[in-house]
Amino acid sequence: MRLYFGSTALELESFIEEGSLQIPELYAATPKFAQSHPESDEEELEFTLSLLAAEDALEFSQEDNSQAVVIACEIEDGDIATLEDLSVTLTGDVKWSQVEAIFTVGQELDDLTWYAPQEVSNHLASWI
């Protein structure tokens, strides 16, 4: 299942160094969320969730003055502890190896720029 959460470049740096990060709740296209948006396909649902995570990221970035980022990861069903309306909790930490993409959040909420995980080290210093 593809999950999204908001973060900052400073937290991202720590995530990379530690290899894991504890996130209490991650946005996900849960069955309940999908049922409440029958007109949306999977891509549209995931975009909506990434925007929710971007809102969180912008709030977090005000606290530490680093780039707001959205982290997308792929989690196995067995790692999901609970399913909520539009989020999940996990049985453990998110692992860096589960990260599929990083999005920087621009001035406009829907201005997301995609980066592959292996590209992050080339940009991280400028984001902090």
Side-chain angles (χ1 to χ4, degrees):
M1 176 178 270
R2 181 65 54 101
L3 307 177
Y4 299 86
F5 63 97
S7 188
T8 66
L10 282 175
E11 187 174 54
L12 180 60
E13 180 180 47
S14 175
F15 186 13
I16 293 167
E17 288 172 4
E18 300 293 323
S20 66
L21 188 63
Q22 184 178 25
I23 302 295
E25 195 170 24
L26 299 94
Y27 294 107
T30 63
K32 201 172 215 179
F33 183 70
Q35 288 173 352
S36 68
H37 296 81
E39 71 289 347
S40 299
D41 63 18
E42 184 177 343
E43 188 174 310
E44 291 169 321
L45 292 173
E46 289 186 0
F47 183 69
T48 299
L49 297 169
S50 67
L51 293 180
L52 291 171
E55 286 179 12
D56 293 348
L58 287 172
E59 287 181 34
F60 300 150
S61 71
Q62 292 174 359
E63 296 170 16
D64 72 14
N65 287 329
S66 69
Q67 175 67 52
V69 298
V70 172
I71 301 173
C73 51
E74 194 68 31
I75 305 293
E76 298 292 325
D77 290 345
D79 293 333
I80 296 172
T82 63
L83 289 169
E84 303 299 332
D85 289 349
L86 64 106
S87 64
V88 301
T89 59
L90 302 178
T91 59
D93 295 348
V94 176
K95 308 284 187 286
W96 179 251
S97 61
Q98 296 169 309
V99 174
E100 295 290 320
I102 309 294
F103 302 90
T104 56
V105 183
Q107 296 293 345
E108 298 295 321
L109 187 61
D110 62 349
D111 180 15
L112 301 175
T113 303
W114 179 92
Y115 294 90
Q118 59 270 25
E119 292 180 284
V120 171
S121 62
N122 297 332
H123 301 281
L124 195 56
S126 67
W127 295 344
I128 295 175

